[in-house]
């Protein structure tokens, strides 16, 4: 267990010092997965052989004295909507069950170039739609902090895998909070990079103008290091930025070591620090802000009025893009075909049977909503107004960042809730995303860092930075990590063990 609790950075140091082999670390992760995955259901696919093969290659090259990338041999997991050549990718949906990815996503190519053994694919809400993993067609993931608790969503599998020491770090995708909210409720770190910083090529699209791949880890420095591995300019993704992210890990190290925060201007978003938040969450949030102030940071309230409407705009723009992106799953181009059982067999009835059978309720709901919002009579009223709100969110953020270096909010309104608690109350489920969606709408980087405990469960603190200032985000998040109660990021290990 001692080994599994180490950070990716520590493991990389041990590997470089020859104190351990990649095969030993990878086997420890695989054994841990084998021991707890039946209960936690964080992984949908485990690639023992594939991961060990990479580990053996790294060990052999190290023994031969070859030059290796800094994190070579440290295992990683990926969310099951990221294509890895020759392995099954389901997106948590029956639609893609049994599909084998024919190529590598650019982020997977980057992981391979960094020589990280990929131990498997993690569970998620179907096509990344949800906040609890209850929408996975293969059953939910359990939060390692408690048997009856959701691990957040849609990337609950990656967050639970990292929290439960099955793997030191993992990849998620964040369209409206799916890396950050799972991070908040599992006591892990989750970051959404600046839009375009990490390639989306080979990542199954949910809402293309919002989707961004990013890291899940147990420390800010690990998350920063993983984003540096992921970030690249990619000609296959037309929205990929020309500049790659550098200096993130150094920024995190600087933030962690800083004791005098004078000169740092922190904005508390007025609209995100009162109504709608659990008192325990607000208490941890306020204590953290006070601790930052006590270390010399200048704290001020900043109003972002559009944030109140951001969630409504998100729940129009996202389904509009979903309805378009998921049209390809029709039993012809993609997806498991279902023939109609009665009536004439035409391409139309086959597609109806395929989509009717293979998509779950939430996916269907969003496709219908998005199709309606884009329909000719309704376009201006719904999609058009949502785009206007999106512009207002961008303007509010620009104005805010003229006054402060970063904005902060609680990452989620509550701590981990119980299975079933919100699955019948869609509004309550959607309101989970009120703090996280503004960053996606504006394309700016945002991350969650564990700040403390409320009733024994982790509370996440969100740091939002201006576009391209990912290094600043990591630096401030590391400052939060330095003052936070460490028990918020140390999941009790016995949970999840038989
Ligand atoms: N909870 C959000 C939703 O259901 C998160 C989606 C995401 O980031 N993939 O849309």
């Amino acid at each position: 267990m001692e080994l599994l609790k180490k950070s990716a950075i520590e493991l990389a140091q041990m590997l470089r010092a020859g104190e351990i082999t990649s095969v030993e670390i990878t086997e420890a992760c695989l054994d841990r997965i084998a021991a707890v995955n039946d209960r936690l259901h964080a992984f949908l696919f485990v690639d023992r052989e594939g991961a060990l093969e990479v580990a053996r290659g790294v060990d052999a090259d190290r023994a031969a004295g070859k030059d290796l990338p800094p994190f070579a041999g440290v295992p990683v997991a990926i969310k099951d909507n990221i294509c890895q050549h020759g392995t099954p990718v389901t997106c948590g949906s029956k639609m893609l069950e049994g599909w084998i990815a024919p190529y590598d996503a650019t982020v997977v190519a980057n992981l391979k170039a960094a020589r990280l053994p990929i131990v498997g694919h993690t569970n998620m809400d179907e096509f990344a739609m949800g906040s609890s993993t209850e929408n996975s067609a293969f059953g939910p993931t359990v939060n390692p902090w408690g048997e009856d608790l959701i691990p957040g969503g849609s990337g609950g599998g990656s967050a639970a895998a990292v929290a439960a020491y099955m793997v030191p770090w993992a990849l998620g995708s964040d369209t409206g909070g799916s890396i950050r909210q799972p991070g908040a409720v599992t006591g892990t770190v989750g970051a959404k990079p600046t839009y375009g910083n990490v390639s989306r090529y080979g990542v199954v699209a949910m809402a293309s103008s919002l989707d961004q791949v990013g890291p899940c880890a147990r420390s800010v420095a690990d998350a920063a290091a993983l984003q540096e591995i992921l970030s690249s300019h990619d000609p296959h993704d037309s929205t990929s930025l020309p500049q790659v992210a550098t200096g993130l890990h150094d920024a995190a190290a600087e933030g962690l070591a800083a004791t005098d925060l004078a000169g740092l201007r922190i904005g508390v978003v007025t609209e995100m620090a009162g109504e709608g938040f659990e008192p325990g969450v607000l208490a941890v949030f306020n204590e953290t802000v006070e601790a930052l102030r006590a270390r010399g940071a200048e704290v001020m309230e900043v109003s972002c009025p559009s944030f109140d409407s951001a969630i409504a705009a998100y729940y129009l723009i996202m389904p509009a893009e979903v309805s378009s992106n998921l049209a390809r799953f029709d039993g012809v181009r993609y997806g498991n075909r279902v023939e109609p059982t009665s009536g004439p067999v035409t391409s139309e009835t086959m597609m109806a049977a395929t989509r009717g059978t293979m998509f779950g309720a939430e996916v269907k709901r969003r496709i219908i909503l998005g199709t309606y919002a884009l329909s000719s009579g309704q376009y201006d009223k719904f999609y058009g107004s949502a785009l206007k709100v999106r512009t207002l969110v961008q303007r509010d953020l620009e104005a805010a960042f003229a006054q402060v270096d970063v904005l902060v909010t609680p990452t989620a309104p509550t701590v981990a809730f119980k299975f079933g608690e919100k699955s019948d109350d869609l509004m309550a489920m959607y309101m989970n995303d009120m703090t996280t969606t503004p960053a996606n709408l504006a394309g700016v980087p945002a991350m969650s860092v564990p700040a403390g405990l409320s009733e024994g469960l982790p509370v996440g603190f969100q740091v939002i930075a201006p576009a391209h200032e990912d290094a600043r985000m990591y630096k401030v998040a590391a400052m939060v990590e330095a003052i936070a109660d460490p028990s918020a990021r140390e999941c009790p290990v016995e949970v999840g063990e038989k």
Side-chain angles (χ1 to χ4, degrees):
M1 207 59 220
E2 273 315 296
L3 181 65
L4 292 167
K5 282 185 153 185
K6 295 213 181 295
S7 70
I9 290 172
E10 288 168 335
L11 292 171
Q13 278 161 354
M14 291 172 74
L15 283 164
R16 283 196 296 269
E19 291 164 16
I20 195 159
T21 65
S22 175
V23 167
E24 285 169 315
I25 300 174
T26 307
E27 268 179 347
C29 289
L30 290 163
D31 290 349
R32 172 81 180 155
I33 295 169
V36 300
N37 198 48
D38 275 357
R39 292 236 343 253
L40 298 180
H41 198 228
F43 283 85
L44 293 176
F45 164 69
V46 179
D47 191 8
R48 181 170 263 276
E49 261 327 292
L52 284 173
E53 199 185 308
V54 174
R56 280 192 289 267
V58 169
D59 289 341
D61 283 356
R62 202 180 306 274
K66 290 196 187 149
D67 257 357
L68 286 165
F71 288 91
V74 179
V76 68
I78 63 178
K79 190 174 175 181
D80 204 29
N81 57 352
I82 300 175
C83 290
Q84 180 190 357
H85 181 234
T87 64
V89 172
T90 69
C91 293
S93 181
K94 281 194 291 179
M95 184 62 97
L96 283 175
E97 195 174 8
W99 185 66
I100 303 293
Y103 66 104
D104 278 334
T106 297
V107 285
V108 169
N110 293 352
L111 294 178
K112 287 183 175 176
R115 309 279 303 267
L116 306 193
I118 301 172
V119 294
H121 301 179
T122 55
N123 195 16
M124 54 186 283
D125 285 296
E126 185 172 14
F127 284 103
M129 302 177 201
S131 303
S132 67
T133 70
E134 287 165 298
N135 295 334
S136 168
F138 308 109
T141 294
V142 171
N143 188 332
W145 286 81
E147 208 83 39
D148 51 349
L149 300 174
I150 61 101
S154 63
S158 284
V162 171
Y165 312 100
M166 297 156 105
V167 69
W169 52 12
L171 267 53
S173 68
D174 192 309
T175 304
S178 284
I179 296 176
R180 289 164 285 159
Q181 181 258 7
V185 299
T186 58
T188 55
V189 175
K192 182 200 92 70
T194 296
Y195 184 76
N197 188 276
V198 175
S199 167
R200 291 179 295 109
Y201 177 72
V203 182
V204 181
M206 178 183 167
S208 313
S209 78
L210 305 162
D211 296 346
Q212 190 59 196
V213 171
C216 315
R218 283 192 300 268
S219 73
V220 174
D222 273 9
L226 184 51
Q227 187 180 327
E228 282 187 37
I229 294 172
L230 299 178
S231 175
S232 61
H233 172 65
D234 183 7
H236 292 308
D237 175 354
S238 61
T239 60
S240 169
L241 293 167
Q243 68 272 39
V244 300
T246 51
L248 305 182
H249 174 225
D250 290 345
E254 224 181 285
L256 199 60
T259 45
D260 179 7
L261 309 188
L264 174 68
R265 298 166 306 162
I266 297 176
V268 174
V269 182
T270 319
E271 288 75 12
M272 299 279 128
E275 217 182 307
F277 292 86
E278 229 167 51
V281 166
L282 279 184
V284 171
F285 176 73
N286 291 332
E287 275 163 31
T288 309
V289 170
E290 281 319 309
L292 291 166
R293 197 202 301 269
R295 288 195 155 197
E298 187 187 340
V299 178
M300 60 190 102
E301 261 203 33
V302 179
S303 175
C304 294
S306 66
F307 278 29
D308 282 338
S309 321
I311 189 77
Y314 171 78
Y315 274 93
L316 284 167
I317 293 169
M318 173 272 296
E321 295 189 25
V322 159
S323 72
S324 157
N325 276 329
L326 271 61
R328 70 188 61 146
F329 300 100
D330 56 11
V332 178
R333 290 170 294 174
Y334 284 96
N336 292 319
R337 180 178 295 190
V338 179
E339 304 287 352
T341 47
S342 59
V345 179
T346 65
S347 51
E348 206 163 302
T349 57
M350 181 281 289
M351 286 180 194
T354 295
R355 290 166 70 83
T357 312
M358 290 301 179
F359 281 142
E362 182 63 20
V363 171
K364 286 182 196 162
R365 190 177 297 123
R366 295 192 192 195
I367 292 173
I368 293 169
L369 189 70
T371 308
Y372 181 72
L374 289 177
S375 60
S376 53
Q378 313 298 333
Y379 184 95
D380 282 341
K381 192 158 114 204
F382 293 114
Y383 189 66
S385 327
L387 288 182
K388 286 184 190 146
V389 173
R390 188 173 195 170
T391 304
L392 293 178
V393 171
Q394 284 156 352
R395 284 195 196 147
D396 276 356
L397 282 169
E398 263 168 46
F401 288 131
Q403 297 174 62
V404 294
D405 300 313
V406 292
L407 290 171
V408 299
T409 75
T411 310
T414 68
V415 293
F417 49 90
K418 291 194 165 58
F419 287 110
E421 197 178 311
K422 296 191 182 173
S423 39
D424 294 330
D425 183 354
L426 282 179
M427 272 311 273
M429 192 65 108
Y430 292 171
M431 286 312 279
N432 250 305
D433 307 331
M434 65 182 176
T435 41
T436 46
T437 47
N440 301 80
L441 290 169
V444 301
M447 69 186 287
S448 179
V449 55
L453 294 172
S454 165
E455 290 167 36
L457 293 175
V459 173
F461 186 93
Q462 181 175 229
V463 179
I464 309 173
H468 315 295
E469 297 292 347
D470 302 51
R472 187 192 300 173
M473 166 184 80
Y474 282 109
K475 186 174 171 181
V476 176
M479 291 167 173
V480 174
E481 187 175 70
I483 54 173
D485 173 2
S487 52
R489 52 179 186 269
E490 284 169 11
C491 180
V493 275
E494 60 283 2
V495 184
E497 278 173 358
K498 276 245 152 50

